[in-house]
Amino acid sequence: MKHRVGTYCARTDIGRVRLTNEDQALVLANAYGDVMMLVADGMGGHAQGDFASRIAIDVLGDAFRNKNRFWSTGSVKKWLKKTIRHANKQIYQEAQENDEYKDMGTTLVVALIHKNKVIIANVGDSRAYFLLEQKMYRLTEDQTFVDYLFRTGQIKEEEIKSHPRRHVLLNALGITPSVNIDLNVFSYEDQPVMLCSDGLYNNLSNKEIEVVLLTDDSVDQKCDMLIAIANKNGGSDNIAVALWEATT
């Protein structure tokens, strides 16, 4: 089996407004040619959000490191569901047993590249994108109240960013004993994949992101530049970005 060759970067930043950084980002590659990318945006304030997002990243990261070969796309989907549910259970139990972590939760977006497919798992409003033919394509739907209003025709797209309830999530990890996971499979032909938290896409337009991703800079430089622009544009939240570029 051909090993996948590429470069990757995962970065987070506190932004310019928040007092703590509750975002987590991670990219891992295994010996079988699979790549797993993760972004989690914790919520609950102070230590809680940071703890929730760290549990999510640690549970998935450890499970991926210890996983034997995936034999099919179906086995990837099954593994992702099981592992994300395990992370949800762990966060929920911590929140129930410790007053300090009451009501904590986290978003989670995962991209797992396996052979010629990428499997996307999403809980909340962090996002996954492809860069295809010099254009950004979003692979996830935000599980938010405003996105629901937009999809049901109650508000226009341009109203989303200024809506008073734009931060209300309809789904998150660790809030209830069970979790709904959006799982989708896309064909993969070595295009760049980017995951990010809302702290990035709320402070940069798609065009601004495209311009950075289309440069000849390294993945590290691109991630640093995206964060720098997000902060220059206000840095209204923590920022997380994970980027994978295949080397063809």
Side-chain angles (χ1 to χ4, degrees):
M1 143 115 212
K2 185 186 94 172
H3 286 325
R4 183 164 269 112
V5 180
T7 55
Y8 55 83
C9 175
R11 290 265 198 281
T12 70
D13 189 85
I14 196 169
R16 296 181 60 188
V17 175
R18 303 293 172 127
L19 298 174
T20 53
N21 187 358
E22 299 178 335
D23 283 9
Q24 305 275 348
L26 181 68
V27 183
L28 295 170
N30 68 16
Y32 307 108
D34 304 312
V35 175
M36 185 175 72
M37 308 169 64
L38 306 164
V39 160
D41 177 359
M43 56 200 220
H46 307 298
Q48 298 102 311
D50 169 57
F51 190 41
S53 60
R54 199 163 65 243
I55 291 172
I57 295 291
D58 287 350
V59 166
L60 273 100
D62 289 347
F64 184 76
R65 289 183 190 99
N66 295 320
K67 178 77 180 82
N68 291 327
R69 185 189 296 270
F70 291 110
W71 292 105
S72 64
T73 303
S75 70
V76 175
K77 289 167 72 176
K78 193 174 172 183
W79 179 84
L80 277 171
K81 279 184 190 170
K82 180 182 159 192
T83 313
I84 292 168
R85 283 177 183 144
H86 179 55
N88 182 78
K89 188 177 173 185
Q90 236 174 283
I91 297 166
Y92 181 76
Q93 280 179 345
E94 287 282 358
Q96 296 306 301
E97 291 165 11
N98 190 333
D99 278 350
E100 192 188 343
Y101 298 125
K102 191 174 182 288
D103 299 327
M104 71 174 174
T106 184
T107 72
L108 178 69
V109 63
V110 185
L112 206 157
I113 303 168
H114 173 67
K115 297 182 180 174
N116 63 343
K117 295 282 189 280
V118 60
I119 299 89
I120 304 287
N122 182 45
V123 179
D125 68 346
S126 293
R127 291 180 180 176
Y129 294 90
F130 273 162
L131 186 68
L132 201 56
E133 293 169 356
Q134 305 198 320
K135 192 166 164 46
M136 299 252 302
Y137 290 92
R138 182 154 41 123
L139 308 176
T140 51
E141 264 187 3
D142 295 345
Q143 297 167 349
T144 58
F145 181 64
V146 289
D147 202 66
Y148 165 77
L149 292 179
F150 168 64
R151 279 186 282 113
T152 52
Q154 296 177 61
I155 61 171
K156 296 190 175 81
E157 190 172 7
E158 54 269 25
E159 294 176 75
I160 290 174
K161 281 199 174 182
S162 58
H163 196 280
R165 298 186 69 187
R166 64 190 175 278
H167 297 302
V168 177
L169 287 174
L170 297 181
N171 195 18
L173 216 57
I175 302 297
T176 58
S178 61
V179 63
N180 292 315
I181 304 160
D182 261 6
L183 261 180
N184 289 291
V185 180
F186 300 89
S187 292
Y188 182 70
E189 295 172 5
D190 288 342
Q191 58 267 48
V193 182
M194 187 191 81
L195 308 185
C196 66
S197 64
D198 61 346
L200 188 79
Y201 67 74
N202 281 336
N203 284 294
L204 271 81
S205 67
N206 273 12
K207 192 76 213 158
E208 286 175 302
I209 297 172
E210 283 167 5
V211 166
V212 173
L213 294 183
L214 289 167
T215 65
D216 293 328
D217 290 346
S218 70
V219 286
D220 295 84
Q221 289 170 317
K222 288 176 185 180
C223 287
D224 289 342
M225 180 57 71
L226 289 169
I227 287 169
I229 297 168
N231 279 324
K232 182 172 168 284
N233 291 351
S236 60
D237 202 348
N238 304 149
I239 305 151
V241 59
L243 180 62
W244 160 266
E245 291 182 354
T247 308
T248 48

